Coordinates of all heavy atoms in Angstrom, one line a residue:
L176 N 20.4 20.7 -17.9 CA 21.2 20.9 -16.6 C 21.7 22.3 -16.6 O 21.8 22.9 -15.5 CB 22.4 19.9 -16.7 CG 23.2 19.9 -15.5 CD1 22.6 19.6 -14.2 CD2 24.5 19.0 -15.7
D177 N 22.0 22.9 -17.7 CA 22.3 24.4 -17.8 C 21.3 25.2 -17.2 O 21.5 26.1 -16.4 CB 22.7 24.8 -19.1 CG 24.1 24.2 -19.6 OD1 24.9 23.7 -18.8 OD2 24.3 24.3 -20.9
E178 N 20.0 24.9 -17.6 CA 18.9 25.6 -17.1 C 18.7 25.4 -15.6 O 18.4 26.4 -14.9 CB 17.5 25.1 -17.8 CG 16.3 25.9 -17.5 CD 15.1 25.3 -18.2 OE1 15.2 24.6 -19.2 OE2 14.0 25.7 -17.8
V179 N 18.9 24.1 -15.1 CA 18.8 23.9 -13.7 C 19.9 24.7 -13.0 O 19.7 25.3 -11.8 CB 19.0 22.4 -13.4 CG1 19.2 22.2 -11.9 CG2 17.6 21.7 -13.9
N180 N 21.1 24.7 -13.5 CA 22.2 25.5 -12.8 C 21.8 26.9 -12.7 O 22.2 27.6 -11.7 CB 23.5 25.4 -13.6 CG 24.2 24.0 -13.3 OD1 24.1 23.5 -12.3 ND2 24.9 23.6 -14.4
G181 N 21.1 27.5 -13.7 CA 20.7 28.9 -13.6 C 19.7 29.1 -12.4 O 19.7 30.1 -11.7
Y182 N 18.7 28.2 -12.2 CA 17.7 28.3 -11.2 C 18.4 28.1 -9.8 O 18.0 28.7 -8.8 CB 16.7 27.1 -11.2 CG 15.9 27.3 -12.5 CD1 15.5 26.2 -13.3 CD2 15.3 28.6 -12.9 CE1 14.6 26.3 -14.4 CE2 14.5 28.6 -14.0 CZ 14.2 27.5 -14.8 OH 13.4 27.6 -15.9
C183 N 19.5 27.2 -9.8 CA 20.0 26.9 -8.4 C 21.2 27.8 -8.1 O 21.7 27.6 -7.0 CB 20.4 25.4 -8.5 SG 19.1 24.2 -8.8
G184 N 21.8 28.5 -9.0 CA 22.9 29.3 -8.7 C 24.2 28.4 -8.7 O 25.1 28.7 -7.8
T185 N 24.2 27.3 -9.4 CA 25.3 26.4 -9.4 C 25.9 26.4 -10.8 O 25.8 25.3 -11.5 CB 24.9 25.1 -8.9 OG1 23.8 24.6 -9.7 CG2 24.5 25.1 -7.4
P186 N 26.5 27.5 -11.3 CA 26.8 27.5 -12.8 C 27.8 26.5 -13.3 O 27.9 26.2 -14.5 CB 27.3 28.9 -12.9 CG 27.8 29.3 -11.6 CD 26.9 28.7 -10.6
D187 N 28.6 25.9 -12.5 CA 29.6 25.0 -13.0 C 29.5 23.6 -12.5 O 30.4 22.9 -12.6 CB 31.1 25.5 -12.5 CG 31.2 25.6 -11.0 OD1 30.2 25.3 -10.3 OD2 32.3 26.0 -10.5
V188 N 28.2 23.2 -12.2 CA 27.9 21.8 -12.1 C 27.7 21.1 -13.5 O 27.0 21.6 -14.3 CB 26.5 21.6 -11.3 CG1 26.0 20.2 -11.4 CG2 26.8 22.0 -9.8
T189 N 28.5 20.1 -13.5 CA 28.4 19.3 -14.8 C 28.3 17.8 -14.4 O 28.3 17.5 -13.2 CB 29.7 19.4 -15.7 OG1 30.8 19.0 -14.9 CG2 29.9 20.8 -16.2
V190 N 28.2 16.9 -15.5 CA 28.0 15.5 -15.1 C 29.2 14.8 -15.8 O 29.7 15.2 -16.9 CB 26.7 14.8 -15.7 CG1 25.5 15.4 -14.9 CG2 26.5 15.0 -17.1
G191 N 29.7 13.9 -15.0 CA 31.0 13.2 -15.5 C 30.8 12.3 -16.7 O 31.7 11.9 -17.3
G192 N 29.6 11.9 -17.0 CA 29.3 10.9 -18.1 C 27.8 10.5 -18.0 O 27.3 10.4 -16.9
I193 N 27.3 10.3 -19.1 CA 25.9 9.7 -19.1 C 25.9 8.2 -19.6 O 26.4 8.0 -20.6 CB 25.0 10.5 -20.0 CG1 24.8 11.9 -19.5 CG2 23.6 9.9 -20.1 CD1 24.0 12.8 -20.4
F194 N 25.6 7.3 -18.8 CA 25.6 5.9 -19.1 C 24.2 5.5 -19.7 O 23.3 6.2 -19.5 CB 25.9 5.0 -17.9 CG 27.3 5.4 -17.3 CD1 27.3 5.8 -16.0 CD2 28.4 5.3 -18.1 CE1 28.7 6.0 -15.5 CE2 29.7 5.5 -17.5 CZ 29.8 6.0 -16.2
A195 N 24.2 4.4 -20.4 CA 23.0 3.9 -21.1 C 21.9 3.5 -20.0 O 22.2 3.1 -18.9 CB 23.4 2.7 -22.0
M196 N 20.7 3.7 -20.5 CA 19.5 3.2 -19.8 C 18.7 2.6 -20.8 O 18.3 3.1 -21.8 CB 18.8 4.4 -19.1 CG 17.5 3.9 -18.5 SD 16.5 5.1 -17.5 CE 17.5 5.2 -15.9
Q197 N 18.3 1.3 -20.5 CA 17.4 0.5 -21.4 C 16.0 0.4 -20.7 O 16.0 -0.1 -19.5 CB 18.0 -0.9 -21.8 CG 19.2 -0.7 -22.5 CD 19.9 -2.0 -22.8 OE1 19.6 -3.0 -22.1 NE2 20.8 -2.1 -23.8
V198 N 14.9 0.7 -21.3 CA 13.7 0.6 -20.8 C 13.0 -0.7 -21.2 O 13.0 -1.0 -22.5 CB 12.7 1.7 -21.2 CG1 11.3 1.5 -20.6 CG2 13.3 3.1 -20.6
T199 N 12.7 -1.5 -20.3 CA 12.2 -2.9 -20.7 C 10.8 -3.2 -20.0 O 10.5 -2.5 -19.0 CB 13.2 -4.0 -20.2 OG1 13.1 -4.0 -18.9 CG2 14.5 -3.7 -20.8
D200 N 10.2 -4.2 -20.4 CA 9.1 -4.8 -19.6 C 9.6 -6.2 -19.0 O 10.1 -6.9 -19.7 CB 7.9 -5.2 -20.5 CG 6.8 -4.0 -20.5 OD1 7.1 -3.1 -19.8 OD2 5.9 -4.1 -21.3
L201 N 9.4 -6.3 -17.7 CA 9.9 -7.5 -17.0 C 9.0 -8.6 -17.5 O 7.7 -8.4 -17.4 CB 9.8 -7.4 -15.5 CG 10.4 -8.5 -14.7 CD1 11.8 -9.0 -15.0 CD2 10.1 -8.3 -13.2
I202 N 9.6 -9.8 -17.8 CA 8.7 -10.9 -18.2 C 8.7 -12.0 -17.1 O 7.6 -12.5 -16.6 CB 9.3 -11.6 -19.4 CG1 9.4 -10.7 -20.6 CG2 8.5 -12.9 -19.8 CD1 10.1 -11.1 -21.8
A203 N 9.8 -12.3 -16.5 CA 9.9 -13.4 -15.5 C 11.2 -13.0 -14.6 O 12.2 -12.4 -15.1 CB 10.2 -14.7 -16.2
M204 N 11.1 -13.4 -13.3 CA 12.1 -13.1 -12.4 C 12.2 -14.4 -11.4 O 11.2 -14.8 -11.1 CB 11.8 -11.9 -11.6 CG 12.9 -11.3 -10.7 SD 12.6 -9.8 -10.0 CE 13.3 -8.7 -11.3
G205 N 13.4 -14.8 -11.1 CA 13.6 -16.0 -10.2 C 14.8 -15.7 -9.2 O 15.7 -14.8 -9.5
G206 N 14.9 -16.5 -8.3 CA 16.0 -16.6 -7.3 C 16.0 -15.3 -6.5 O 15.0 -14.8 -6.1
E207 N 17.3 -14.8 -6.1 CA 17.4 -13.7 -5.3 C 16.7 -12.5 -5.8 O 16.1 -11.7 -5.0 CB 18.9 -13.3 -5.1 CG 19.1 -12.1 -4.2 CD 18.6 -12.2 -2.8 OE1 18.4 -13.3 -2.3 OE2 18.5 -11.2 -2.2
S208 N 16.6 -12.2 -7.2 CA 15.9 -11.1 -7.7 C 14.4 -11.1 -7.3 O 13.7 -10.2 -7.4 CB 16.1 -11.0 -9.2 OG 17.4 -10.8 -9.6
N209 N 14.0 -12.5 -7.2 CA 12.5 -12.6 -7.0 C 12.1 -12.6 -5.4 O 11.0 -12.8 -5.1 CB 12.1 -14.0 -7.6 CG 10.6 -14.0 -7.8 OD1 9.9 -13.1 -8.1 ND2 10.0 -15.3 -7.5
A210 N 13.2 -12.5 -4.5 CA 13.0 -12.3 -3.1 C 12.4 -11.0 -2.8 O 12.2 -10.1 -3.7 CB 14.3 -12.7 -2.4
F211 N 12.2 -10.7 -1.5 CA 11.6 -9.4 -1.2 C 12.6 -8.6 -0.2 O 13.3 -9.2 0.5 CB 10.2 -9.7 -0.4 CG 9.2 -10.4 -1.2 CD1 9.1 -11.8 -1.1 CD2 8.5 -9.9 -2.2 CE1 8.2 -12.5 -1.7 CE2 7.6 -10.5 -2.9 CZ 7.5 -11.9 -2.8
P212 N 12.4 -7.2 -0.4 CA 11.7 -6.5 -1.5 C 12.4 -6.6 -2.9 O 13.6 -7.0 -2.8 CB 11.7 -5.1 -1.0 CG 12.7 -5.0 0.2 CD 13.1 -6.4 0.5
K213 N 11.8 -6.2 -3.8 CA 12.3 -6.3 -5.3 C 12.8 -4.9 -5.8 O 12.3 -3.9 -5.4 CB 11.2 -6.9 -6.1 CG 10.8 -8.4 -5.9 CD 9.8 -8.9 -6.9 CE 9.5 -10.3 -6.8 NZ 8.7 -10.6 -5.6
H214 N 13.6 -5.1 -6.8 CA 13.9 -3.9 -7.6 C 13.1 -3.6 -8.8 O 12.4 -4.6 -9.3 CB 15.5 -4.0 -8.1 CG 16.5 -3.5 -7.1 ND1 16.3 -2.5 -6.2 CD2 17.7 -4.1 -6.9 CE1 17.4 -2.4 -5.6 NE2 18.3 -3.3 -6.0
F215 N 13.1 -2.4 -9.2 CA 12.4 -2.0 -10.5 C 13.5 -1.7 -11.5 O 13.2 -1.4 -12.7 CB 11.5 -0.8 -10.3 CG 12.2 0.5 -10.0 CD1 12.6 1.3 -11.1 CD2 12.5 0.9 -8.8 CE1 13.2 2.6 -10.9 CE2 13.1 2.1 -8.5 CZ 13.5 2.9 -9.6
A216 N 14.7 -1.8 -11.2 CA 15.8 -1.6 -12.1 C 17.1 -2.3 -11.6 O 17.2 -2.5 -10.4 CB 16.1 -0.1 -12.3
Y217 N 18.0 -2.6 -12.5 CA 19.3 -3.1 -12.1 C 20.4 -2.3 -12.7 O 20.1 -1.8 -13.8 CB 19.5 -4.6 -12.5 CG 18.9 -5.6 -11.5 CD1 17.6 -6.1 -11.6 CD2 19.6 -5.8 -10.3 CE1 17.1 -6.9 -10.7 CE2 19.0 -6.6 -9.3 CZ 17.8 -7.2 -9.5 OH 17.2 -8.0 -8.6
F218 N 21.5 -2.1 -12.1 CA 22.6 -1.3 -12.4 C 23.8 -2.3 -12.7 O 24.4 -2.8 -11.8 CB 22.9 -0.3 -11.4 CG 21.7 0.5 -11.1 CD1 20.9 0.1 -9.9 CD2 21.2 1.6 -11.8 CE1 19.8 0.8 -9.5 CE2 20.1 2.3 -11.4 CZ 19.3 1.9 -10.3

Side-chain angles (χ1 to χ4, degrees):
L176 182 58
D177 288 342
E178 185 179 345
V179 167
N180 282 333
Y182 294 139
C183 301
T185 55
D187 56 2
V188 166
T189 59
V190 293
I193 298 179
F194 299 121
M196 176 179 280
Q197 294 175 342
V198 178
T199 69
D200 268 355
L201 181 65
I202 302 170
M204 191 172 266
E207 177 62 16
S208 296
N209 200 36
F211 300 101
K213 293 182 172 72
H214 271 329
F215 67 94
Y217 277 99
F218 309 95

